[in-house]
Amino acid sequence: MTPPPPREPARPPKRVEAVAGTPFGVVHLDVPPVTSGLAVGSLVAGIVSVLVALLVVCFGAAAGMGGAWAAGAFTVLGVLAGAGAVLAGLFGLRQIRRVAPPPAVRFTGRGLAVAGVSCGGAGLLLSLLGLGLALLVALA
């Protein structure tokens, strides 16, 4: 049975150094950049935070004390997701900015990290505003 063909074509080595006194050599390969997992996670958590914040605003606009309790419960989730998105995005930006020596993996995804930070911050702010709306409606 023959093995399946490789998915991507083989790349030529970046540089080959001969080892003195042996028929062997050291091959240096070019490592392609990888998308940062922190940046992707930040964007996902930021989108979840915005969606939960919209749920908080909907519960906050609902009349009665039950809406305020539900908004308060979902505010905790929205704030945690928003704070997680902001932190993961900032750590992702730091990971992407860090200069690594040539054999190490380089990371990409700056736009994903920035979008995650902004969505997380917006979701966090909207969750707190939705809780304020819920308390205002419940007390009025």
Side-chain angles (χ1 to χ4, degrees):
M1 181 175 235
T2 60
R7 287 187 219 160
E8 50 184 61
R11 291 187 303 261
K14 190 173 187 179
R15 154 175 113 233
V16 178
E17 296 175 358
V19 177
T22 67
F24 302 105
V26 177
V27 177
H28 297 276
L29 299 174
D30 187 26
V31 181
V34 176
T35 304
S36 172
L38 287 169
V40 173
S42 170
L43 182 59
V44 170
I47 291 171
V48 167
S49 175
V50 169
L51 292 176
V52 170
L54 292 175
L55 194 62
V56 169
V57 170
C58 289
F59 278 129
M65 198 60 175
W69 280 104
F74 280 106
T75 298
V76 172
L77 180 62
V79 167
L80 287 176
V86 169
L87 288 175
L90 292 176
F91 285 141
L93 284 171
R94 188 172 125 194
Q95 182 185 45
I96 293 164
R97 233 184 352 249
R98 188 176 59 220
V99 178
V105 175
R106 294 175 317 231
F107 290 100
T108 61
R110 183 178 185 281
L112 295 172
V114 170
V117 168
S118 61
C119 284
L124 196 142
L125 184 65
L126 284 174
S127 291
L128 294 176
L129 289 175
L131 179 64
L133 174 69
L135 292 176
L136 195 72
V137 167
L139 295 176

